[in-house]
Amino acid sequence: MFAFYLSIAAVCLIAVVIVKFIKSPETRGAKGETIVARILGRTIDGEQYVIHDLLFSDKNGNSCQIDHVLINKHGIWVIETKNFSGRIYGDARRREWTQVLAYGNEKNKFYNPVKQNATHIYRLAEYLDEKNIFFNVVVFLRRADISRVSAENVFDVRTLSVIKRRDTGLNLTPEQMQNFYEKLIKLKNESRITKKEHIAQI
């Protein structure tokens, strides 16, 4: 009988661990990034170049993790993915945004992802020695209601694909696109910082 109860307790413990893993921010984030990666598609030489999970340190030792970079003739799209649920409130200037859950009974603050991504762009621009070719994109997964968000280039994942054909007034050549891609791939491959170290910095 003792063995029976022990096995039941073990099963319950495993179930709790699995649920916590599934609901962890890291797991939710990875799932969201996988969905966005599928929408962006693969690298097609001369047409578009895609980099996922670009982790590096700048010249001052500050770490930076970028979910996705899309390079096409219209520019370099730097994409921050948020796999949140509930209703989201925020605007481009406000330091913190608010996530509202449970019919308004639960409210969580989080750092403005537009500002977060602007820092990513600043560091990329410094590395590539370019300025006016970057576009700040934040994408929320479909469980989030972003109708109360007031900021440019904040997308529901279902509408993200529009950035691939949006006319920005830029017209990068295939050579320019490939050059930027090769430099960023080199940056990614030569990075010595780990995700654990990056999270510790945050």
Side-chain angles (χ1 to χ4, degrees), residues 110-188:
F110 62 100
Y111 184 60
N112 180 339
V114 175
K115 289 184 177 293
Q116 177 186 357
N117 215 29
T119 301
H120 297 165
I121 289 174
Y122 174 82
R123 290 174 179 165
L124 282 186
E126 188 175 53
Y127 176 74
L128 293 178
D129 196 24
E130 295 282 348
K131 285 187 177 180
N132 300 315
I133 59 172
F134 298 93
F135 297 93
N136 187 338
V137 175
V138 176
V139 57
F140 284 85
L141 274 290
R142 61 189 305 163
R143 296 186 305 144
D145 174 1
I146 60 171
S147 60
R148 275 79 173 176
V149 172
S150 177
E152 287 187 46
N153 288 343
V154 177
F155 293 92
D156 178 292
V157 70
R158 289 165 288 193
T159 60
L160 177 64
S161 61
V162 301
I163 69 170
K164 297 174 75 172
R165 56 185 181 274
R166 176 172 288 182
D167 186 359
T168 62
L170 293 176
N171 190 20
L172 300 180
T173 66
E175 292 76 22
Q176 287 176 309
M177 289 189 286
Q178 185 173 1
N179 181 50
F180 293 139
Y181 174 71
E182 289 175 352
K183 286 182 176 179
L184 294 183
I185 284 293
K186 181 181 179 182
L187 178 66
K188 178 178 180 177

Side-chain angles (χ1 to χ4, degrees), residues 13-46:
L13 180 61
I14 292 170
V16 168
V17 170
I18 291 173
V19 169
K20 283 187 175 182
F21 174 77
I22 292 172
K23 291 187 174 181
S24 72
E26 293 81 7
T27 303
R28 290 200 314 270
K31 182 180 179 182
E33 290 165 22
T34 299
I35 293 170
V36 171
R38 193 179 306 130
I39 293 170
L40 295 177
R42 60 186 177 83
T43 289
I44 304 171
D45 287 339

